[in-house]
């Protein structure tokens, strides 16, 4: 393998057909990324918990910039890669690679956290708390679509690890630094913003035959459960996906409320 071929493989300009999904390599890399993400998120959070909100936000900004730079780089590579295979790279980008998946809401939530004020910033923080760890678990460990079709040293592999690990680390950082807390009375705002993204995703899915938020098919995600439940009924499957995402948000808020309630009672008892 010469240097030029290595470069082309790295950027996905050659279809290698390699698969590392949940094999030894994937487990080792994912484990290393998990340890580093958890350690860094908690360390920085506890270290900065007594600082001002402005100072806490400043630390999130560089990670947000990295996320957006990586996404733009990925857009460029999707277009170049598509054209390299004799396809329409721009159509590949529009039909299935825009930031309209559940994990992608993090991009916009981080912008709201870093540059928003008042309720806008609060909604961004809530999304980071609610979806960060889910994005981390799904992207680093259960992303069969990526890790099942790219070598571990490819740019795509690095990209997916980075853009899913960063939200997980930021979520832990927000918790440890006590930047905010979830309040059950605010859940409607999170669900409303989520619904907007879901509607946009559905419009793209049914007009361009895309699969944003996996509303059309599970594509190797845990949504395969809904595929089995729907038994071939497309509308029912899409409904189950929407219901599953809504249920996740409600359960997450409920668990947070219970933990906060128990913690508050324990502190009062020990005071």
């Amino acid at each position: 393998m010469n240097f030029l071929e290595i470069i082309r493989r790295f950027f996905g300009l050659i279809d290698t057909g390699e698969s590392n999904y949940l094999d030894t390599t994937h487990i080792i890399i994912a484990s290393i990324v998990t340890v580093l993400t958890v350690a860094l998120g908690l360390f920085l959070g506890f270290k900065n918990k007594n600082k001002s909100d402005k100072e806490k936000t400043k630390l999130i900004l560089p990670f947000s910039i990295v996320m957006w730079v990586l996404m733009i780089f990925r857009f460029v590579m999707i277009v170049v890669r598509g054209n390299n295979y004799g396809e329409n790279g721009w159509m590949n980008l529009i039909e299935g690679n825009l930031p309209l998946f559940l994990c992608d809401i993090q991009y916009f939530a981080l912008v709201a956290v870093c540059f928003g004020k008042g309720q806008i910033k609060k909604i961004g923080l809530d999304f980071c708390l609610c979806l960060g760890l889910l994005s981390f678990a799904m992207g680093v460990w259960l992303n069969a679509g990526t890790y099942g079709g790219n070598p571990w040293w490819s740019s795509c592999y690095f990209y997916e690890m980075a853009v899913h690990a960063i939200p997980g680390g930021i979520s832990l950082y927000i918790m440890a630094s006590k930047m905010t807390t979830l309040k059950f009375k605010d859940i409607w705002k999170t669900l409303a913003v989520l619904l907007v993204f879901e509607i946009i995703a559905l419009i793209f899915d049914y007009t361009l035959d895309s699969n944003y938020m996996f509303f059309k098919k599970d594509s190797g995600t845990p949504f395969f459960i809904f595929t089995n439940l729907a038994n071939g009924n497309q509308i029912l499957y899409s409904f189950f996906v929407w219901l599953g995402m809504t249920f996740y948000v409600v359960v997450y808020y409920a668990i947070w409320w219970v933990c906060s309630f128990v913690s508050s009672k324990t502190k009062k008892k020990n005071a």
Side-chain angles (χ1 to χ4, degrees):
M1 187 186 303
N2 58 40
F3 178 73
L4 181 59
E5 185 176 350
I6 292 175
I7 294 299
R8 295 182 69 188
R9 284 173 179 265
F10 177 78
F11 289 111
L13 300 177
I14 296 177
D15 185 6
T16 64
E18 296 184 40
S19 177
N20 298 113
Y21 183 57
L22 292 182
D23 68 358
T24 304
T25 302
H26 180 192
I27 291 173
I28 291 174
I29 294 176
S31 297
I32 293 173
V33 170
T34 298
V35 171
L36 291 175
T37 299
V38 173
L40 188 61
L42 293 179
F43 171 75
L44 292 175
F46 288 126
K47 181 182 178 182
N48 292 279
K49 68 178 181 179
N50 294 322
K51 293 185 177 180
S52 67
D53 183 72
K54 185 176 181 180
E55 290 177 304
K56 292 176 183 178
T57 303
K58 279 184 178 179
L59 195 142
I60 295 177
L61 181 58
F63 290 100
S64 304
I65 293 174
V66 169
M67 288 270 291
W68 277 90
V69 169
L70 288 174
M71 183 177 68
I72 294 171
F73 170 77
R74 175 173 174 266
F75 286 170
V76 173
M77 290 312 305
I78 287 170
V79 175
V80 172
R81 194 178 296 127
N83 292 337
N84 179 72
Y85 286 122
E87 304 168 350
N88 186 330
W90 287 105
M91 285 306 297
N92 286 345
L93 177 62
I94 295 172
E95 290 178 350
N97 293 286
L98 294 176
L100 290 174
F101 290 94
L102 185 63
C103 295
D104 294 329
I105 298 177
Q106 298 290 308
Y107 289 102
F108 305 99
L110 288 172
V111 171
V113 170
C114 293
F115 301 103
K117 296 183 182 299
Q119 283 299 307
I120 298 297
K121 183 170 184 174
K122 181 64 170 66
I123 291 173
L125 286 167
D126 287 355
F127 264 103
C128 286
L129 282 177
C130 191
L131 297 181
L133 294 180
L134 176 67
S135 174
F136 174 74
M138 296 292 292
V140 173
W141 286 98
L142 301 176
N143 194 340
T146 296
Y147 308 134
N150 294 281
W152 68 268
W153 46 269
S154 67
S155 61
C156 182
Y157 205 100
F158 289 136
Y159 166 82
E160 294 292 342
M161 281 287 180
V163 299
H164 289 96
I166 289 175
I170 289 176
S171 179
L172 292 172
Y173 170 78
I174 293 172
M175 292 181 198
S177 65
K178 300 184 183 301
M179 284 188 71
T180 190
T181 185
L182 293 179
K183 297 179 180 178
F184 215 93
K185 66 182 182 65
D186 293 331
I187 191 174
W188 70 270
K189 299 174 185 177
T190 300
L191 290 175
V193 175
L194 177 60
L195 182 62
V196 171
F197 274 89
E198 289 169 333
I199 291 173
I200 295 173
L202 278 168
I203 291 173
F204 272 87
D205 287 347
Y206 283 91
T207 56
L208 295 176
D209 195 27
S210 302
N211 191 34
Y212 290 114
M213 288 202 179
F214 304 104
F215 272 126
K216 297 291 286 295
K217 54 186 177 181
D218 61 75
S219 298
T221 68
F223 288 158
F224 74 85
I225 298 172
F226 301 141
T227 300
N228 296 332
L229 288 174
N231 195 28
N233 187 313
Q234 182 65 71
I235 295 178
L236 189 59
Y237 168 77
S238 298
F239 172 75
F240 283 149
V241 171
W242 168 79
L243 191 64
M245 289 187 286
T246 302
F247 180 73
Y248 166 80
V249 172
V250 173
V251 169
Y252 195 97
Y253 268 79
I255 293 175
W256 187 284
W257 180 84
V258 170
C259 291
S260 299
F261 178 79
V262 172
S263 176
S264 176
K265 287 293 183 181
T266 303
K267 288 180 179 179
K268 288 181 179 179
K269 184 177 180 180
N270 296 331

